[in-house]
Amino acid sequence: MTAVDVTAIAKSYGKVEVLSDITTHFPEGSFTSLLGPSGSGKTTLLRIIAGFVIPDTGRVTIGERDVTRVPVWARNIGMVFQSYALFPHMSVADNVAFGLAQRGVKGEPARREVQRALDMVHLGGFGTRKPKQLSGGQQQRVALARAIVTRPSVLLLDEPLSALDRRLRQEMQVELLRIQRESGLTTIFVTHDQEEALTLSDKVAILDRGRIVQIGAPTEVYERPRTRFAAEFLGDTNFFTGTVADGRVSLRNGMRIATASPLPANGAPVTLAVRPEKITVATRDAAPEDGLTNRVEGAIIASLYSGTALTYEVDAAGQRFKIFAQNRDARPLARGDEVTLSWSPDHTVPIEDAP
Amino acid sequence: MKLAARTYILAVLIFLYLPIAVLIAMGFNESPLYQLPFSFSSHWYVELMSNRKLLNASWNSVLIAAITAVIATVLGTLAAVALSRRQFFGKEALRLLLLPPIAIPWLITGTAMLVFFYWTGIGRGFHAILIGHVALAIPYVVLVVGTGLTTIRADLEEAAMSLGAPPVKAFFRVTLPLLAPSIFGAALFAFAVSLDQFVVSYFLATPGSSTLPVEIYSAIRKGFTPEINAVCTILLLGSVSIFLLFTLFAKPGASRDRS
């Protein structure tokens, strides 16, 4: 159990800058996701922490130890690869025992540790099998057991769930979280799946083109995205661009939208973001709900029914809205219905970068 | 149509195997002039046992092939691993230069070696043939082992390193065992390339160091007896066994994980 720090990390391949000036802290025992699209540098950052890639500049520390120049095999890490990378010529037990053998743990003590690790991933009876004889989910758990049995300083996961189908992936998320909590390992998890990142993590770091654009608790990065990229990458968002006028933002179509967040001076351009599920959609005659002081009138232009939920598209004076609604009403709203949209200024977040 | 196809295949097989069958049969025919009627005899095999020249040449051939297989396999495997797993200066040049020798006619390679060995003082003889054969066999080893390496994921070695194994250990514990079938196949290939080699051996042989193909060639020129058939049959048996072993062990992915 150790904290991990990266300081001023930069890495280029030729003229392509993959990471620039990354500084961040991974607290002891925390579960942090590195989330971003492909090419955002998240895997390179993980491989720098692992020691497979040497950064051009910057420092990596695991606990008190500066490991920037320490090779992979001397860093005491545990890593799970996207393809699991199980040794096909060894039994499951030998796979798990491999790291112990490198540390001089052999014989009966090694056998006990292997059994403990396999029990932890519910594969106690599979020690003598070959990896090929296991399903994808089971192979994944062997890879996890192999990575944690050595009690590494940090557990690194490189999109370990992306090869599994949806249901198995959800099961494994629960397992992974349980094992991480039980072992107390500082965990760094690379993924491009935003839901997975929000579900599993204590902290989510969103990467875009080699930079961490935002890092924080899942609720924080989701509810208060700081940039347009962060807002769009973590789910859907409605954006409004206008200028500040008397504590509100006035849009070009005349709408005036309130936000609970501080705004810049009058006349400054500003972009606001509102999540589609924060907006209440009601017929014109319905009584207004308390607190939802942003109100606009519009008409449904598209309605998508998906059982538990509905997705509406609404046009209000030329401004398009996307809205997610629970399927609660007697009759779903239909194209052409006249509606009132309302939402709270608390859920209206100014984003920092230019529109 | 089906019948025509079958007849065609049969004709091809007869064309390929009939001369060889006749060669084997005539080794067991008593007549020294290959005359019929056929009369079974192991006479020529007995004769062969006292033919010092042919026996010595056979021993040379097998010895050179065996040493060639060992040296070429070690050097070729190292080259293949370096080409597929490591970054180094001149890598692309090496990759480009390693394989064309397969396409260069042996006559040219042989002439070049003869001139070069004479010029550098290596000369001719057993050692010169050995060097020549190793040089001829290395590209085949690189090809066979290189193909084997493409079926072994590079992240297996990374996984071993992440678990605490230094690169050399990771290679010996993980990649090498998985690569063993390819390496064995490559060794057999190198052995066969050397055993079959005539042109280069002919150019570099001295009286005591000639190999079986060279000896058979000079025997044929002088007028020959079915002893040649006997020795060819034995050689054939050896080559076919090697080929069978090769197909058994070097089948791509035969015992490898390909998921």
Side-chain angles (χ1 to χ4, degrees):
Chain A
M1 260 218 267
T2 351
V4 175
D5 280 282
V6 294
T7 315
I9 293 284
K11 179 72 191 175
S12 300
Y13 290 110
K15 279 186 182 153
V16 185
E17 193 174 45
V18 185
L19 290 174
S20 52
D21 196 28
I22 301 271
T23 298
T24 191
H25 173 69
F26 303 92
E28 182 171 324
S30 68
F31 193 122
T32 308
S33 290
L34 303 178
L35 177 68
S38 51
S40 59
K42 57 190 193 298
T43 298
T44 306
L45 181 57
L46 191 80
R47 290 175 67 81
I48 284 175
I49 297 168
F52 291 117
V53 177
I54 305 296
D56 299 336
T57 61
R59 233 177 39 238
V60 180
T61 38
I62 299 177
E64 298 296 297
R65 187 167 165 230
D66 183 338
V67 295
T68 315
R69 302 281 149 196
V70 175
V72 185
W73 55 92
R75 284 194 185 191
N76 192 33
I77 56 161
M79 185 152 176
V80 177
F81 294 79
Q82 192 170 5
S83 65
Y84 318 142
L86 296 177
F87 309 132
H89 57 303
M90 296 182 196
S91 69
V92 165
D94 288 345
N95 263 281
V96 178
F98 190 91
L100 293 171
Q102 306 313 313
R103 288 158 177 78
V105 183
K106 296 200 165 86
E108 185 51 31
R111 211 196 55 76
R112 258 201 321 274
E113 288 291 305
V114 168
Q115 194 54 49
R116 205 182 54 85
L118 286 177
D119 285 340
M120 199 168 184
V121 297
H122 306 304
L123 287 173
F126 288 73
T128 56
R129 304 247 191 127
K130 285 284 175 70
K132 239 192 278 187
Q133 296 167 291
L134 303 182
S135 70
Q138 290 169 331
Q139 290 187 30
Q140 217 279 325
R141 284 186 278 164
V142 174
L144 194 58
R146 185 177 68 174
I148 60 175
V149 73
T150 56
R151 301 169 203 274
S153 309
V154 55
L155 178 61
L156 306 173
L157 306 162
D158 185 9
E159 306 210 21
L161 306 180
S162 63
L164 303 175
D165 65 53
R166 194 182 159 76
R167 263 198 43 208
L168 200 52
R169 193 159 69 225
Q170 284 171 347
E171 256 173 62
M172 280 307 301
Q173 286 177 1
V174 176
E175 282 287 283
L176 187 59
L177 211 52
R178 176 182 65 79
I179 290 163
Q180 197 267 337
R181 294 292 182 244
E182 276 176 34
S183 61
L185 289 168
T186 307
T187 302
I188 303 171
F189 179 83
V190 161
T191 183
H192 62 260
D193 183 327
Q194 40 114 353
E195 254 178 70
E196 196 167 274
L198 292 175
T199 308
L200 293 173
S201 320
D202 301 317
K203 280 211 296 187
V204 178
I206 301 171
L207 278 89
D208 177 32
R209 285 168 294 174
R211 290 170 192 278
I212 293 181
V213 293
Q214 191 168 4
I215 183 165
T219 48
E220 188 186 325
V221 292
Y222 184 79
E223 306 289 343
R224 316 205 70 80
R226 279 221 302 262
T227 66
R228 184 177 269 266
F229 176 85
E232 279 179 325
F233 195 72
L234 275 183
D236 283 289
T237 307
N238 293 295
F239 292 110
F240 315 106
T241 302
T243 48
V244 179
D246 304 325
R248 294 192 166 207
V249 175
S250 87
L251 309 189
R252 210 178 297 158
N253 64 4
M255 260 178 214
R256 287 168 56 76
I257 296 173
T259 168
S261 308
L263 282 169
N266 269 355
V270 72
T271 298
L272 298 173
V274 182
R275 296 287 185 192
E277 71 277 10
K278 306 289 190 191
I279 301 174
T280 301
V281 53
T283 46
R284 291 273 168 87
D285 49 7
E289 284 182 52
D290 282 349
L292 306 187
T293 49
N294 280 316
R295 294 170 65 86
V296 299
E297 306 208 320
I300 305 262
I301 54 172
S303 166
L304 261 94
Y305 178 80
S306 61
T308 56
L310 289 141
T311 306
Y312 294 122
E313 238 179 272
V314 172
D315 181 278
Q319 171 79 40
R320 287 286 171 93
F321 286 81
K322 189 175 196 178
I323 297 146
F324 298 148
Q326 289 297 312
N327 185 10
R328 278 186 310 219
D329 299 331
R331 174 186 78 84
L333 296 165
R335 186 186 161 86
D337 285 358
E338 303 266 299
V339 291
T340 303
L341 307 179
S342 52
W343 69 94
S344 161
D346 288 336
H347 296 139
T348 311
V349 185
I351 58 175
E352 282 170 13
D353 55 352
Chain B
M1 192 58 212
K2 222 172 178 181
L3 187 73
R6 278 189 188 160
T7 315
Y8 174 71
I9 290 168
L10 195 67
V12 169
L13 288 178
I14 288 173
F15 181 74
L16 283 173
Y17 285 104
L18 190 64
I20 295 170
V22 169
L23 174 110
I24 295 171
M26 283 304 166
F28 291 101
N29 188 9
E30 193 156 15
S31 161
L33 299 168
Y34 297 95
Q35 280 170 336
L36 294 172
F38 183 84
S39 148
F40 181 83
S41 159
S42 55
H43 173 71
W44 301 113
Y45 285 83
V46 177
E47 280 291 290
L48 177 66
M49 289 306 124
S50 57
N51 186 334
R52 300 241 39 97
K53 264 184 135 176
L54 272 184
L55 283 184
N56 186 44
S58 307
W59 172 241
N60 280 343
S61 271
V62 171
L63 197 61
I64 287 173
I67 302 174
T68 298
V70 172
I71 299 176
T73 303
V74 171
L75 295 180
T77 300
L78 289 175
V81 169
L83 283 175
S84 97
R85 296 287 201 266
R86 307 272 180 268
Q87 295 301 324
F88 54 89
F89 179 76
K91 175 171 164 171
E92 283 314 305
L94 184 64
R95 191 200 297 283
L96 284 171
L97 290 173
L98 261 171
L99 297 181
I102 291 176
I104 295 175
W106 282 334
L107 186 68
I108 293 171
T109 314
T111 312
M113 282 178 179
L114 180 62
V115 173
F116 181 75
F117 288 1
Y118 173 76
W119 183 61
T120 53
I122 293 170
R124 296 160 63 191
F126 188 90
H127 65 288
I129 297 175
L130 187 62
I131 295 171
H133 284 196
V134 168
L136 288 178
I138 283 177
Y140 293 96
V141 175
V142 173
L143 206 62
V144 173
V145 176
T147 308
L149 273 168
T150 59
T151 67
I152 301 172
R153 298 184 56 103
D155 59 10
L156 290 180
E157 259 179 68
E158 289 189 345
M161 285 192 258
S162 77
L163 291 164
V168 173
K169 199 168 188 187
F171 175 76
F172 277 102
R173 289 293 312 280
V174 175
T175 308
L176 198 63
L178 294 169
L179 199 56
S182 300
I183 293 174
F184 188 67
L188 291 174
F189 213 135
F191 188 87
V193 164
S194 166
L195 201 63
D196 276 352
Q197 182 47 240
F198 170 70
V199 183
V200 169
S201 307
Y202 183 73
F203 282 13
L204 299 175
T206 50
S209 69
S210 73
T211 60
L212 192 58
V214 176
E215 204 54 49
I216 290 173
Y217 175 72
S218 43
I220 287 171
R221 288 211 308 181
K222 284 179 213 141
F224 56 106
T225 63
E227 277 171 89
I228 298 292
N229 297 53
V231 80
C232 285
T233 304
I234 294 170
L235 194 63
L236 192 70
L237 216 65
S239 300
V240 170
S241 320
I242 288 173
F243 177 76
L244 288 179
L245 280 174
F246 181 81
T247 49
L248 215 63
F249 281 92
K251 207 179 286 170
S255 58
R256 266 175 244 127
D257 178 277
R258 312 196 72 189
S259 65

